[in-house]
Amino acid sequence: MDNCIFCKIAEGEIPSNTIYEDEDFRVILDISPANIGHCLVIPKKHFKDITEIDSEILSKGIKIAQKTAKAQKKALNADGVNILQNNGESAGQTVNHFHIHVIPRFKGDDVVIEFNSKEHSNEEFAEIKEKIAKELQ
Ligand code: 5GP
Ligand code: ZN
């Protein structure tokens, strides 16, 4: 994809702090990390988001995210790790090339990942369950 910054980074046209690379993926340090060591797992092929990514590539990507999380725990002595993945502007996606955030967490750090809970009636839960389940058939 022309003019996609993550295509250029993944292919090595734009330099990055690369911590892992294979024929399908590059793992880099996020330029504006939530915590030190915040990584992005980026496929070399362009996919806009999780709805468009090839499922084999996705499977490989989540395994690389798992390895990255384990490496962060060891290397940085992280207490925990958040795996985040944003799809669409409303969900906070700012770079429209699929990527997985792997964020090391430390007890008492100032990273905020939150959502406000909503309440629904049992009827509303039942209705929404049917709607989504139907699409999964
Ligand atoms: P999103 O909001 O799309 O889920 O995440 C995009 C992430 O990419 C952000 O955390 C942002 O800091 C990071 N990012 C954007 N441009 C660059 C760049 O040129 N280099 C690196 N290493 N990270 C970038
Ligand atoms: Zn791209």
Side-chain angles (χ1 to χ4, degrees), residues 87-133:
N87 302 282
E89 198 180 341
S90 64
Q93 186 176 12
T94 58
V95 178
N96 293 322
H97 177 130
F98 177 93
H99 52 279
I100 303 170
H101 294 260
V102 186
I103 305 172
R105 298 299 303 271
F106 306 91
K107 283 194 183 80
D109 69 23
D110 63 357
V111 177
V112 179
I113 296 168
E114 64 179 10
F115 49 85
N116 298 321
S117 303
K118 297 185 176 56
E119 291 189 7
H120 290 290
S121 66
N122 286 341
E123 290 74 26
E124 284 171 320
F125 278 121
E127 189 187 329
I128 207 72
K129 179 190 76 177
E130 289 302 324
K131 264 189 174 173
I132 299 171

Side-chain angles (χ1 to χ4, degrees), residues 64-74 78 80-81 83 102:
I64 294 171
Q66 181 192 36
K67 281 186 181 171
T68 304
K70 287 182 180 178
Q72 286 175 340
K73 288 196 85 170
K74 275 193 179 167
V81 179
I83 305 285
V102 186

Side-chain angles (χ1 to χ4, degrees), residues 6 9 16-20 26-31 37-42:
F6 279 9
I9 288 174
S16 62
N17 287 304
T18 295
I19 64 164
Y20 172 83
R26 185 184 291 267
V27 181
I28 65 168
L29 291 181
D30 194 297
I31 205 164
H38 177 168
C39 293
L40 300 172
V41 178
I42 306 176

